[in-house]
Amino acid sequence: MNDAITLTAPLTEAAESDQDVLARGCCNLAPNSLQIAEDDATRLAAMFKAIGNPVRLQIIDMLSRYGGQACVCDVESLFDLSQPTISHHLKVLRKAGLIDSEQRGLWRYYFVRPAALQELQQWFGEMLTVRNQ
Amino acid sequence: MNDAITLTAPLTEAAESDQDVLARGCCNLAPNSLQIAEDDATRLAAMFKAIGNPVRLQIIDMLSRYGGQACVCDVESLFDLSQPTISHHLKVLRKAGLIDSEQRGLWRYYFVRPAALQELQQWFGEMLTVRNQ
DNA sequence: TCTCTATATTGACAATCATCAATACATATG
DNA sequence: CATATGTATTGATGATTGTCAATATAGAGA
């Protein structure tokens, strides 16, 4: 699969011929090609990993539309999963810093932490703008 | 951890008292609270999952700065991992649609697919704007 | 205090993942 | 064709994950 190689982004040196490439050789890595700190990479990856599950992604989607008044049984009603499993996914999202919760009477209400979503959105912004250098 | 619950977003009904909440009860879920299709959720989650690993996140970071001229040995030189492991991570990213590659002589060059990053960035945009409704 | 309800935790299990060593494949060159 | 080099695949292994049933915890009310 994916046989048809279509460049969605122009290569840096599109004019560079194959011969040039071969002459230049490989592995001439520019300095500081890894600009993101390992700590940041780990922290961001943990957040992405939390979203990287269909159920949890849908929970984020649902919570973001629900603006902070969703209890566990609300979330539960959307999926064909047991209550402990929903509780588990909520915990994963909370530990990643993507959501938070608040107790109200007998129920615990969950809500998205916009700051976390913004940070991730911003990361894509960097990836899309800081190209070549 | 995370004991101090700080609301970064106001709850929808901030004025709603605890008594109101208790009176209203729970699980009065608004219709179509799950607006994202399951297929989309699965596809997007797969992309996030691919980024949800520190090594792969750093590969994306590195490739986005490198604009399309990074071969496997370039990537390899940034990590203390074996060549097969790097190859594996590149494959995961490629299967998720986040990167693509092109053979040039003896080397295979990898590059980011900006359209994929844009789609994910846009998803965060939706999550941050489509609140409450 | 006892009961009821909402949510969290524990423990178990199959499935997936990250990693490496060994090997295979592909491209260029002599 | 033979050899060398860059990359991909295979197979194995320990670690992590998603899920559920069972159980525990916590708040509200009788």
Side-chain angles (χ1 to χ4, degrees):
Chain A
M1 71 197 74
N2 228 337
D3 283 339
I5 292 180
T6 308
L7 296 186
T8 51
L11 295 177
T12 342
E13 314 284 346
E16 194 180 34
S17 70
D18 283 8
Q19 291 202 346
D20 288 340
V21 172
L22 292 176
R24 176 167 58 75
C26 188
C27 303
N28 300 318
L29 199 57
N32 71 349
S33 296
L34 243 181
Q35 289 199 357
I36 190 171
E38 189 153 340
D39 290 350
D40 284 339
T42 301
R43 197 175 51 84
L44 290 172
M47 290 199 258
F48 283 123
K49 187 177 180 180
I51 310 179
N53 171 283
V55 173
R56 291 195 293 265
L57 187 139
Q58 283 173 296
I59 290 177
I60 294 279
D61 177 87
M62 175 267 197
L63 289 183
S64 74
R65 295 185 201 286
Y66 217 58
Q69 295 293 337
C71 62
V72 176
C73 58
D74 283 332
V75 181
E76 206 180 330
S77 70
L78 299 180
F79 301 94
D80 195 21
L81 292 170
S82 70
Q83 176 267 318
T85 297
I86 297 296
S87 218
H88 161 72
H89 285 305
L90 290 170
K91 186 178 184 180
V92 170
L93 288 170
R94 203 168 79 87
K95 283 184 68 177
L98 291 162
I99 68 176
D100 207 341
S101 67
E102 184 197 34
Q103 188 94 21
R104 287 242 212 161
L106 206 47
W107 299 281
R108 176 161 290 270
Y109 289 89
Y110 282 87
F111 48 89
V112 167
R113 293 209 327 112
L117 299 188
Q118 276 162 10
E119 183 180 9
L120 298 183
Q121 184 185 37
Q122 203 169 354
W123 182 79
F124 284 110
E126 288 174 29
M127 293 305 100
L128 287 165
T129 59
V130 192
R131 313 182 72 77
N132 304 327
Q133 183 71 349
Chain B
M1 68 197 75
N2 228 339
D3 281 341
I5 292 180
T6 308
L7 296 187
T8 51
L11 294 177
T12 343
E13 314 286 345
E16 194 179 33
S17 70
D18 282 11
Q19 290 201 348
D20 289 340
V21 172
L22 291 176
R24 176 167 58 73
C26 189
C27 301
N28 301 317
L29 200 56
N32 72 350
S33 297
L34 242 181
Q35 290 199 357
I36 190 171
E38 189 153 339
D39 290 350
D40 283 340
T42 301
R43 198 175 51 83
L44 289 173
M47 290 199 258
F48 283 124
K49 186 176 181 180
I51 310 179
N53 170 285
V55 173
R56 291 196 291 266
L57 187 139
Q58 283 173 296
I59 290 176
I60 295 281
D61 178 87
M62 175 266 197
L63 289 182
S64 73
R65 294 184 202 288
Y66 217 58
Q69 294 293 339
C71 62
V72 176
C73 58
D74 283 333
V75 182
E76 205 181 330
S77 70
L78 298 180
F79 301 94
D80 195 23
L81 293 169
S82 70
Q83 177 267 318
T85 297
I86 297 297
S87 219
H88 160 72
H89 285 304
L90 289 169
K91 187 178 183 178
V92 170
L93 288 170
R94 202 168 79 85
K95 283 185 69 178
L98 292 162
I99 67 176
D100 208 340
S101 67
E102 184 196 35
Q103 188 95 19
R104 286 243 212 160
L106 205 49
W107 298 281
R108 177 161 289 270
Y109 290 90
Y110 282 87
F111 49 89
V112 168
R113 292 210 327 111
L117 298 188
Q118 276 162 11
E119 186 182 6
L120 298 183
Q121 185 187 35
Q122 202 169 353
W123 182 79
F124 284 109
E126 287 174 29
M127 292 306 100
L128 287 165
T129 59
V130 192
R131 312 182 72 77
N132 305 329
Q133 181 74 345

